[in-house]
Amino acid sequence: MRITVGNAQIVYDKRIFSGGEVHVALQAGPINSDLTPRIYANVRSSNDVMELLLVTEALKAYVPGKQIELTLPYFPYARQDRRMNPGEALSVKVMADLINLQQYSQVTVWDPHSDVTAALVNNIKVIPQKDFVRRLFSPKLTPVGGVAGPAPIWLKPEQTVLVSPDAGALKKTGESAISLGIEQLVRADKIRNTKTGEITGTVAYTDHVGDKNFLILDDILDGGRTFIELAKALRPKTSGKIYLYVTHGIFSSGFDTLLDHIDGIFVANMFPSTWPARIVQI
């Protein structure tokens, strides 16, 4: 989590008390009161959510009366955006209510899971998926961190077929296709058990595309089962490569099995601190 005022960064101390409570204390000298305080928060756990709220409260007290801007690349709990079964919490609303209570002047979110987040969060600015995807088609693509490896891959629109992994991703995939001038778009479907989350089937609606490359687009990669099964369905449909772009890469099941089926993965917001060379953070 970073706090900045102009070019100056405000550091803070954090500790966890024995009862589980998070505590923060800003360590800052005088700052320019004419500049906007900004918080950039890569939230990875519920403790991180509490840390963000505490940092916000401390910053409000430190610069009273100033509007604070928040950048929250991954919006926590956004995947629970509807009640699938009786008795479930609408988690995205709970998280949105917490954010709204802080009265940020702007909340910037990268490619949230659905339109529900944008509808619930006040003063939200969404960076759409297509803005990240366009970067994959530029030779100026600069990888961030990771394990040293070959030069990063970049793609060519005329050699690429976009793939929507399910109906929910189709709108975003279509927006990227229009933005890049890509005419071929493949829709896929997955069948999932709503109680267990298990994927029980995958189908891709396409004929063979010759030597063109498939590029699957989605917002989140968690364990990766969705993309492994989709890659299996796509592999007989091309003589080219299969690539994957996700805005938020959690990789909870590691990398090896994914890379057995997918030739390269692009990620905007990487959760692990290190990763193999065939995964490129942009």
Side-chain angles (χ1 to χ4, degrees):
M1 199 170 302
R2 296 197 308 269
I3 311 169
T4 57
V5 180
N7 293 324
Q9 183 168 344
I10 298 176
V11 299
Y12 63 94
D13 296 328
K14 181 184 78 169
R15 61 183 296 192
I16 308 292
F17 289 117
S18 55
E21 300 93 340
V22 181
H23 174 74
V24 304
L26 305 186
Q27 304 294 321
I31 61 175
N32 189 335
S33 60
D34 295 329
L35 300 176
T36 300
R38 293 180 172 88
I39 300 173
Y40 179 97
N42 258 323
V43 172
R44 300 289 184 258
S45 68
S46 295
N47 264 2
D48 288 351
V49 173
M50 194 64 198
E51 182 179 334
L52 169 61
L53 300 179
L54 293 174
V55 164
T56 300
E57 197 282 333
L59 188 57
K60 285 179 178 178
Y62 197 79
V63 287
K66 294 293 292 182
Q67 295 286 304
I68 299 172
E69 293 183 2
L70 171 66
T71 296
L72 193 61
Y74 176 75
F75 196 86
Y77 299 98
R79 284 184 281 179
Q80 189 70 33
D81 60 1
R82 53 181 170 159
R83 302 184 201 275
M84 299 291 292
N85 299 291
E88 290 182 341
L90 186 57
S91 305
V92 67
K93 184 179 185 303
V94 175
M95 186 67 201
D97 288 346
L98 286 172
I99 293 299
N100 290 340
L101 283 171
Q102 311 316 306
Q103 298 181 319
Y104 299 110
S105 59
Q106 180 173 284
V107 180
T108 301
V109 178
W110 297 4
D111 186 17
H113 182 64
S114 71
D115 292 339
V116 176
T117 299
L120 292 174
V121 177
N122 298 337
N123 304 322
I124 193 168
K125 176 184 177 182
V126 172
I127 307 299
Q129 186 179 100
K130 65 180 181 179
D131 286 6
F132 296 103
V133 173
R134 275 200 301 266
R135 299 195 63 205
L136 311 187
F137 294 80
S138 169
K140 297 179 181 178
L141 173 67
T142 302
V144 179
V147 176
I153 305 156
W154 66 84
L155 308 178
K156 298 178 180 178
E158 65 274 14
Q159 190 64 24
T160 302
V161 176
L162 297 186
V163 181
S164 169
D166 53 37
L170 188 58
K171 178 183 175 183
K172 292 181 184 179
T173 307
E175 290 171 350
S176 290
I178 292 169
S179 175
L180 291 160
I182 293 176
E183 296 182 357
Q184 285 186 274
L185 189 158
V186 171
R187 181 173 68 87
D189 280 330
K190 57 189 174 186
I191 304 168
R192 187 188 293 274
N193 184 313
T194 62
K195 290 189 178 292
T196 66
E198 181 184 3
I199 297 169
T200 57
T202 302
V203 58
Y205 304 103
T206 181
D207 296 325
H208 199 283
V209 298
D211 62 356
K212 289 188 175 183
N213 302 315
F214 285 122
L215 173 61
I216 306 164
L217 305 182
D218 211 350
D219 60 317
I220 298 171
L221 186 158
D222 195 327
R225 175 72 182 276
T226 293
F227 308 112
I228 291 168
E229 296 304 317
L230 179 52
K232 290 178 182 177
L234 290 171
R235 186 63 70 182
K237 307 288 188 177
T238 182
S239 303
K241 303 288 188 181
I242 297 175
Y243 297 116
L244 168 65
Y245 165 82
V246 291
T247 305
H248 309 285
I250 298 172
F251 296 98
S252 59
S253 296
F255 307 105
D256 293 346
T257 305
L258 276 162
L259 293 175
D260 285 342
H261 298 279
I262 297 170
D263 298 297
I265 302 174
F266 302 92
V267 185
N269 182 26
M270 175 70 76
F271 279 50
S273 57
T274 60
W275 55 89
R278 279 198 289 144
I279 297 178
V280 178
Q281 184 183 14
I282 60 171

